[in-house]
Every structure is written in C-alpha cells, then in structure tokens.
Amino acid sequence: MGEDGENTKINHSFLRDYVTEADVISTVEFNQTGDLLATGDKGGRVVIFQRETESKGESEELGESGEYNVYSTFQSHEPDFDYLKSLEIEEKINKIRWLPQQNAAHFLLSTNDKTIKLWKVSERDKRPEGYNLKDEEGRIKDISTVTSLRVPVLKPTDLMVEVRPRRIFANGHTYHVNSISVNSDGETYLSADDLRVNMWHLDITDRSFNIVDIKPANMEDLTEVITAAEFHPQHCHLFVYSSSKGTLRLCDMRDSALCDKHSKIFEEPEDPGNRSFFSEIISSVSDVKFSHSGRYLLTRDYLTVKVWDLNMEKGPVETYQVHEYLRSKLCSLYENDCIFDKFECVWNSTDSVIMTGAYNSFFRMFDRETGRGVTLEAWRESSKPRAVLRTRRIYTGGRRRRGDVGVDSLDFTKKILHMAWHPAENIIAIAATNNLYIFQDRVNAENM
Amino acid sequence: MEYKVEAHRIMSISLGKIYNSRVQRGGIKLHKNLLVSLVLRSARQVYLSEYYSGACLNAQNEREGNEWDITDSEREKFPPSATECDRVESTEEPQQSEQSEKGRDYRENDDEVKSDQADSTSTLQQEQNQNSSLDSVAKVSSETPPETSNEPKESPSDSAVAESDSTPEANGESHQPPKTQRKRSAEESESGDSPQKRTKVASSNAEESEEAEEMDTSNVSNLITIFGSSFSGLLSKDGAKPEAEDSGQICCDQMLKNLNPWSTAIVAF
C-alpha cells in the first residue's frame, strides 16, 4: 500500500538500523489538491512527491488511485551562522506550506529556524531547438556556416522539474520560527517564533508587520512562549496562536495593528489532582490546527488531543487520550527528553476524524462521532504493500491479548511527530524518522 | 522524604539540560529552556517545603513544636505526585549542607546572601506563602535571626510588598545572573556565610553521614567556584537568551541550583 511511496532517502549503510540524522523527516504537507506531497528533513532538503494520475478509462474500479512518486528534490536551506551571536543556525526544515495554485507552477514556503523561502516549482517539458547562432550543445556557430535563417521551435523533451527560490524572507525573527501559515487572502502569510508573530506579504521580502509580541520588557518575567500559529481557513483577519501554557488565543487583525490583546482566549483549568513537577510541560500545546470548516480548533499537548469550539472559550468540547499510560512515566520521559517532543495533529477532509502520532511508531486516530480511537503502526516490517493496517493495543492492565505491547517495551526513539492528511481523500502521510509512509483507505475491499 | 530526593534529582537533571542546551547546535531553544526552568522551580519549591518538614523532624534540637504543624500543613498543601522515581533514602539532602563549608550559621536563608537578604527572604516568603499557611511563614521566618532585621514577616501582605520591592532588585541582578551568583558563591565559600537553609541544616543534622558531607563540602565549594567562573562565561556568551530562562523569582533559584545540585551536576560533567 504505502511501500512505493516510501522516501527513497533511506540510508543503506551496512548498519541496518543506522539513521543519518540529516535524513530525519521534519515536516510533511499536502498541497491543496493533494496531488503533491512535500517533505522536509533535518538536512535542509525538500522532497516533493507527486501522485500518479491513473487513467481509469471504462473501469469502475474504486480506490485504485495513483501512488506517490518522487517529483523533485532540492536543497532548501543550508546551515548558517549568526556571527553576531556566534550561533549556528540549523538547516532543518521546520515547516512547509503550499500556496494555492494560481497558474501552472506550484509555490511553497519552507522555513528553518530563521529564514523563510518561497520556492517556485515548475515543469518544463519543451525546449527550443533550432537556434541560428548556436548549435545543439550551445556552442556558438561559425557565422560563415550559417546559410539560412530559421525560427526556433519548441520540441518536447523529457519532463524536467525546476525549482527556483523566488523570495527569501530573512532577518524577520530573533527567536526560532516554529510555524508559518498562508492566509486565505492569497497574498499574505504569517510566521511565528517563540515570542513574536510576523505577517508578511508574499511579494515583499524586506519588511514584515509584527502582529503579536509577547516578549516581556524584562526577560526574567518570561512565563510563556508561542508554540504554534495558524490563520483561519476562511476569515483572512483571524488567526490563532497557542502557547506553552496550554492556552489558545484567537486574534482579530481588525481590532488593532498589534494583536497582543486577544479577541478570545481558550484555556482549560488545570486538574489539580494531576499536578506534578511536569504539569506545565505536558500542558504545553505543540500543534494547533483549524478544522476545514473553520469552526473548530484541534490542539495537541503531550498526552491528549483536544477539539475546541471557537464559540466556547472555557474548555475543549472533546478530549482524547493519546497515551495516558505515560502519565506515570513523566519523570523518565523528562530525563530522556521525550517529554519535549512536539507532536502534530491533523484533521481529515470532513473534520470527522483526527489523527496524531505517538511512540513506538504508533499513531492514533479518533473518530469524533463515536469518540473511539484506534492505534495503528507505521513500521516497515509489518507493512507490506497493500497490506491492511491492523490495529495495535497497548497493554495497561486487565486481560492481555496476543499482540499487545507492554508500556515498558515501547521504543521511545521511534516517534511519529509529523503527518499530513490528504485534503479530499482518505490518504495519510506519516513520517517515521527517515521513512515516509503513505496509507490509503480502500473503501471497497472486494475490489482489491 | 523521598519527595526531596526526587526533587533534588530533578533539579540536577534540569541543570544538566540547561547546560547542555548551551552547547547544542542551533542555539538555545527558548521554549525548552523555559519549561526546564519551570520544572526546576517546581522541584525547588518541593525541596524547600521538604526542608521545612525536615526541620520538623529535628525539632528536638532547635525548633518549637509548632513546626510540626507547619510541616503537616505544608505537606498537605503541596503534595508532589508520586512518580516512578526510585525512593532512595535521602542521602542526598545532606549535600545541602555543602554550603556550610565552615559549618557555621546554619540559620541563614538559603535563597540569598548578604546584600540580598531582603530579596531572598521575601522570595522565600512568597514561595512559602504559596506552599504554606501564613502562620507557618511567620513562625518559620522568625527562626532566622539575620533576616528578622530586614523583614517584618508578620503578614503575607508585608511579604508580598517586600517581594515586589525586591523584585526589581532581583531582576536587576538577574541581568547577570550567572556572574552574580558566582560571586556570591565564591564569597560564601570564602566567608563561610553559607546560604544554607535552616531546614537543610536541620535535616542534615539528622543524617548520620553529615560528617562525611561536611568534609566534602569544602571540595565541592571549590569545585563550584572553579566551575562557576567557566559556567558564567558560557552563559554570558549567549547574551539575552539565558536570561530568558530565569524569572526574577528564580534569582534565588539560581542560588540554590548553582550551589546545591551543582555538586551532582559537576560530577556529571
């Protein structure tokens, strides 16, 4: 099912399990039609996959959609150095966002910790031939050999995908950029770092508007940072940002130029019974996503995913436990830094299912209508092409079934942080370290 | 008691993380360091509350009986959650006595020393107010001769006021937090004016290994001084970002974290 779409950057070194750090995928994103899938990695590279279009012809075969193959690979960011602060700037791609397509070319924004770049991805499948002054290899012809004039013609060639940087939005951020979000107006986008949110115009690189600034006058008073931000999918004046304290703030840019004062603040009072040293860490929101409808917000903190209704600020409307069995292990997760892992969360196309990642190559899907969740695994050994994903279970007590995984045998190095859901169909892309898994939902099993 | 051990362990782990973040590629991650400093602060609060409870246990030596009430009320009000951290006998808490290299004046507030008595006591008070009743604050504070001269300590409002007054002071100092603490610790080790909490000492008194600890304290204090200078150099190099990790209240935190768990942190490195 997903094997053909796997990332071809798998390290084939003699140590089978050795993973080059640079190959670790750090972001996954479908474009608006779902035909293109972009991944960014820690080495600063972007790989774009394209879905093959199947000519169905007369066949009514459902679900036999095309598979994703590599379309283009390019180096988006290079390691950089801030000379003023003597700091190295990682080339890891933190986020990729596609722009809505307006012509034959595709545009995407990619960002590392400091710099956002706009890339133009275009195809070229024709080239001009028949120049008068140069030959086929491009060498200048000897004029004396030219006896007649001709008009160069475009001849089809092999498909070439060109990727060129069109804009470089640099020096906008003092702190590490964690999110970018394209506005529905098609002209602007926002970028958020730990303390500020900037709004850029896609055509203007030498300036940006600062729309949120939570940096205190005295840094010692710092108590929370911005962890994610996103524009509303329909209303171009609304955006939301999440904080490390677990709050969400909805801001309306019509209120004022600087949106430090939120229009709405969504927070859930902490459960005093669960208080521990690590309460603050696990309440930090790692990802926030608007639903496609624009009515709901999806947030991920360390142990749960929550659905919030924009009309109700006092608490989430739904809360799903992702891996509650880890609550007793917070101390060791703190020691090995796993408690700082930032998991992403996604909606499906109809906002009826939400998905997020976990450890041991597991990821979780929750059906909002039934409230039930399943655990699935993205692991090569158990995923043959066209195999049906079976659900997994974590053994936390009670009757243990065969195949249940004990909490202590979970592999915390295999974490599913990044994922994406196709905007229209039930196709998901899961990044597991340096592997990319693409799973499709086959509605009619009998056709397989 | 196991809470104190766990708190201490978490504090040293947190310090290790903060240190490691400075050498990590990509610069300091503000978010992670903020979270680590929050954990550090929580652990420290537990640690402090445990100290007062530890002082209770040694009430026969130097405390009145009302300390017991304080201990219980503190325990009730700030119950750390049980984690899977091992419950080891609190052999580590006597490390707190490392501050009393010369074994004198155990009654000082651990938070600050000398010039910052006001800061430390007020901050300590603030934390105490968070953790315990007003009565306990007043009573516990009154145990400490050097501080009573600075602080009235009769009411939470006073302490709150004192805290707010001292906060700018603390903040001002915190601009160079590592260096300042380093100086203080150096001074402490020299003068023997240890920023030792009463409870630390009290609890250390209870430990039979206290003698061994005291012998180590002089070595540790030297290590702290030596390590501290290089550490402050590391911190200052990073400019504003390390400052971001500390709040004004953690001015005292740094004191504690620099002095006490340093022994563990230093050994780790």
Side-chain angles (χ1 to χ4, degrees):
Chain A
M1 185 194 278
E3 287 287 300
D4 290 342
E6 234 177 291
N7 192 330
T8 52
K9 296 202 299 290
I10 297 163
N11 192 338
H12 290 295
S13 71
F14 71 101
L15 294 167
R16 270 176 57 95
D17 293 333
Y18 177 73
V19 172
T20 308
E21 183 76 8
D23 291 338
V24 173
I25 299 174
S26 51
T27 184
V28 187
E29 182 80 356
F30 279 101
N31 74 337
Q32 277 77 8
T33 61
D35 287 336
L36 295 175
L37 174 66
T39 65
D41 65 19
K42 279 195 175 177
R45 285 165 302 193
V46 171
V47 180
I48 303 177
F49 297 85
Q50 188 187 45
R51 193 178 188 189
E52 284 185 355
T53 49
E54 293 268 329
S55 52
K56 303 235 181 6
E58 267 51 89
S59 168
E60 279 296 306
E61 210 170 335
L62 286 169
E64 199 59 47
S65 347
E67 288 171 341
Y68 286 82
N69 295 317
V70 178
Y71 180 64
S72 172
T73 304
F74 61 96
Q75 185 78 32
S76 170
H77 287 74
E78 298 276 359
D80 205 350
F81 199 77
D82 181 343
Y83 296 98
L84 195 62
K85 295 182 191 155
S86 295
L87 287 178
E88 214 180 333
I89 300 172
E90 278 189 302
E91 67 277 25
K92 170 168 85 91
I93 308 294
N94 290 335
K95 281 288 188 297
I96 290 175
R97 290 286 182 263
W98 291 91
L99 267 57
Q101 191 176 11
Q102 289 174 329
N103 50 36
H106 299 275
F107 289 87
L108 64 82
L109 287 168
S110 67
T111 183
N112 69 347
D113 281 340
K114 295 286 182 191
T115 305
I116 305 135
K117 294 187 184 181
L118 177 70
W119 295 90
K120 177 178 179 182
V121 184
S122 50
E123 290 182 2
R124 188 202 293 241
D125 59 356
K126 298 179 180 49
R127 58 183 279 259
E129 282 181 20
Y131 283 105
N132 290 297
L133 295 178
K134 31 179 199 181
D135 61 19
E136 296 306 311
E137 280 81 39
R139 289 187 298 250
I140 307 289
K141 276 190 203 171
D142 186 3
I143 294 199
S144 55
T145 64
V146 177
T147 53
S148 62
L149 285 178
R150 56 188 173 162
V151 177
V153 292
L154 290 174
K155 293 247 171 77
T157 62
D158 294 335
L159 178 65
M160 245 190 358
V161 180
E162 289 181 329
V163 183
R164 288 217 171 86
R166 300 299 286 175
R167 306 269 188 274
I168 302 201
F169 304 92
N171 304 318
H173 290 279
T174 308
Y175 302 96
H176 296 318
V177 175
N178 52 53
S179 321
I180 48 176
S181 175
V182 182
N183 203 350
S184 52
D185 66 5
E187 291 185 345
T188 57
Y189 73 95
L190 65 75
S191 58
D193 66 24
D194 290 323
L195 296 178
R196 299 191 177 102
V197 179
N198 290 340
M199 189 166 103
W200 304 78
H201 191 284
L202 284 166
D203 291 335
I204 299 171
T205 60
D206 61 352
R207 77 193 80 158
S208 70
F209 284 108
N210 174 245
I211 51 179
V212 174
D213 188 342
I214 65 167
K215 182 178 178 191
N218 193 347
M219 277 301 260
E220 281 89 23
D221 299 333
L222 182 73
T223 53
E224 67 181 325
V225 296
I226 298 172
T227 51
E230 196 182 48
F231 267 121
H232 191 280
Q234 284 98 32
H235 301 301
C236 58
H237 52 86
L238 286 179
F239 66 95
V240 70
Y241 69 91
S242 61
S243 82
S244 56
K245 277 191 175 170
T247 62
L248 306 170
R249 289 179 174 84
L250 184 74
C251 299
D252 190 330
M253 293 196 289
R254 300 171 300 186
D255 275 344
S256 65
L258 193 57
C259 297
D260 283 358
K261 192 164 150 314
H262 50 264
S263 298
K264 289 194 179 188
I265 181 163
F266 301 84
E267 56 188 335
E268 188 178 22
E270 191 192 342
D271 177 11
N274 275 333
R275 179 118 183 87
S276 77
F277 288 123
F278 311 105
S279 299
E280 281 132 338
I281 301 187
I282 63 171
S283 64
S284 173
V285 173
S286 55
D287 193 19
V288 64
K289 292 268 171 49
F290 274 103
S291 63
H292 291 90
S293 62
R295 162 104 187 253
Y296 297 98
L297 282 167
L298 179 65
T299 61
R300 174 73 155 98
D301 51 62
Y302 192 64
L303 296 178
T304 68
V305 280
K306 295 177 179 165
V307 176
W308 304 74
D309 187 330
L310 280 188
N311 302 317
M312 189 170 96
E313 299 172 65
K314 68 177 196 301
V317 290
E318 295 156 30
T319 303
Y320 301 94
Q321 303 293 336
V322 180
H323 38 206
E324 178 69 12
Y325 46 82
L326 294 184
R327 191 179 286 274
S328 55
K329 300 205 170 305
L330 292 179
C331 192
S332 35
L333 291 168
Y334 178 71
E335 280 183 70
N336 62 18
D337 273 359
C338 282
I339 206 173
F340 301 106
D341 287 336
K342 298 195 180 152
F343 292 93
E344 290 174 11
C345 52
V346 290
W347 296 90
N348 74 336
S349 51
T350 55
D351 299 336
S352 58
V353 178
I354 56 183
M355 179 171 72
T356 188
Y359 293 107
N360 207 67
S361 305
F362 288 162
F363 58 100
R364 301 267 277 149
M365 271 197 212
F366 300 96
D367 184 335
R368 291 184 63 210
E369 280 144 37
T370 63
R372 285 204 250 124
V374 293
T375 305
L376 302 164
E377 188 179 19
W379 181 229
R380 199 170 349 152
E381 310 301 338
S382 60
S383 301
K384 305 293 181 290
R386 313 206 174 272
V388 175
L389 267 184
R390 63 190 178 94
T391 62
R392 305 301 310 270
R393 260 174 43 113
I394 313 282
Y395 173 67
T396 53
R399 194 169 67 92
R400 183 163 189 161
R401 293 189 218 151
R402 195 170 69 90
D404 282 4
V405 181
V407 178
D408 292 319
S409 54
L410 291 175
D411 187 346
F412 289 98
T413 61
K414 295 191 166 61
K415 48 191 92 169
I416 307 251
L417 302 173
H418 311 288
M419 49 185 34
W421 201 307
H422 191 286
E425 299 181 33
N426 281 342
I427 304 174
I428 55 178
I430 310 279
T433 320
N434 62 332
N435 294 325
L436 180 72
Y437 292 84
I438 300 179
F439 300 112
Q440 292 179 342
D441 186 21
R442 299 298 166 103
V443 177
N444 294 325
E446 50 268 33
N447 283 345
M448 287 170 59
Chain B
M1 273 313 163
E2 53 269 8
Y3 296 135
K4 192 193 315 206
V5 173
E6 184 194 322
H8 183 221
R9 183 162 154 260
I10 290 176
M11 282 196 295
S12 28
I13 292 169
S14 305
L15 283 177
K17 287 189 193 301
I18 294 178
Y19 174 73
N20 280 332
S21 73
R22 280 149 175 74
V23 300
Q24 255 170 20
R25 200 172 161 246
I28 293 183
K29 296 191 176 19
L30 185 60
H31 184 202
K32 182 175 175 186
N33 279 281
L34 178 69
L35 295 176
V36 170
S37 66
L38 290 174
V39 170
L40 191 57
R41 197 197 314 192
S42 302
R44 180 175 172 275
Q45 283 176 344
V46 170
Y47 205 38
L48 290 181
S49 69
E50 286 298 326
Y51 274 145
Y52 289 111
S53 64
C56 244
L57 294 177
N58 299 304
Q60 69 273 15
N61 292 337
E62 51 206 322
R63 301 280 178 260
E64 297 88 58
N66 54 12
E67 282 271 348
W68 284 104
D69 302 327
I70 297 160
T71 306
D72 292 338
S73 63
E74 282 179 349
R75 275 217 177 115
E76 284 157 21
K77 280 170 185 152
F78 196 101
S81 66
T83 72
E84 75 285 7
C85 293
D86 292 334
R87 300 180 164 196
V88 180
E89 283 310 309
S90 55
T91 53
E92 291 190 33
E93 56 179 312
Q95 283 185 356
Q96 303 316 317
S97 63
E98 72 203 9
Q99 303 321 315
S100 58
E101 305 90 0
K102 300 193 182 164
R104 60 168 286 251
D105 200 2
Y106 290 161
R107 308 214 169 214
E108 281 201 19
N109 187 305
D110 69 313
D111 293 331
E112 288 312 312
V113 231
K114 304 178 188 62
S115 56
D116 298 311
Q117 291 279 340
D119 287 352
S120 56
T121 52
S122 58
T123 310
L124 178 60
Q125 278 184 1
Q126 196 206 21
E127 290 173 344
Q128 290 171 4
N129 288 338
Q130 294 168 6
N131 296 339
S132 61
S133 64
L134 304 176
D135 289 340
S136 60
V137 170
K139 283 169 187 158
V140 169
S141 308
S142 64
E143 305 289 340
T144 311
E147 288 117 7
T148 46
S149 58
N150 294 334
E151 297 293 334
K153 297 185 178 60
E154 272 81 27
S155 65
S157 60
D158 286 350
S159 58
V161 167
E163 203 279 334
S164 61
D165 286 344
S166 59
T167 303
E169 210 176 330
N171 288 342
E173 291 163 359
S174 301
H175 281 302
Q176 299 291 335
K179 292 194 177 114
T180 319
Q181 271 90 43
R182 284 296 132 230
K183 281 185 207 151
R184 283 191 209 125
S185 63
E187 288 165 358
E188 283 147 33
S189 52
E190 287 159 8
S191 68
D193 242 344
S194 62
Q196 181 69 349
K197 291 184 204 142
R198 294 164 244 115
T199 50
K200 283 187 218 176
V201 178
S203 56
S204 67
N205 289 337
E207 299 302 321
E208 52 275 13
S209 56
E210 182 191 344
E211 286 183 0
E213 295 296 311
E214 285 187 346
M215 274 163 41
D216 295 338
T217 54
S218 55
N219 296 334
V220 171
S221 63
N222 292 338
L223 274 174
I224 291 171
T225 318
I226 294 164
F227 190 78
S229 55
S230 58
F231 184 73
S232 64
L234 277 167
L235 284 180
S236 58
K237 182 177 90 156
D238 291 319
K241 286 194 178 158
E243 293 167 346
E245 304 154 11
D246 315 315
S247 71
Q249 296 161 341
I250 303 186
C251 187
C252 332
D253 275 357
Q254 292 183 339
M255 213 35 185
L256 172 64
K257 72 184 178 195
N258 287 335
L259 297 169
N260 300 328
W262 264 138
S263 56
T264 325
I266 291 163
V267 169
F269 299 126

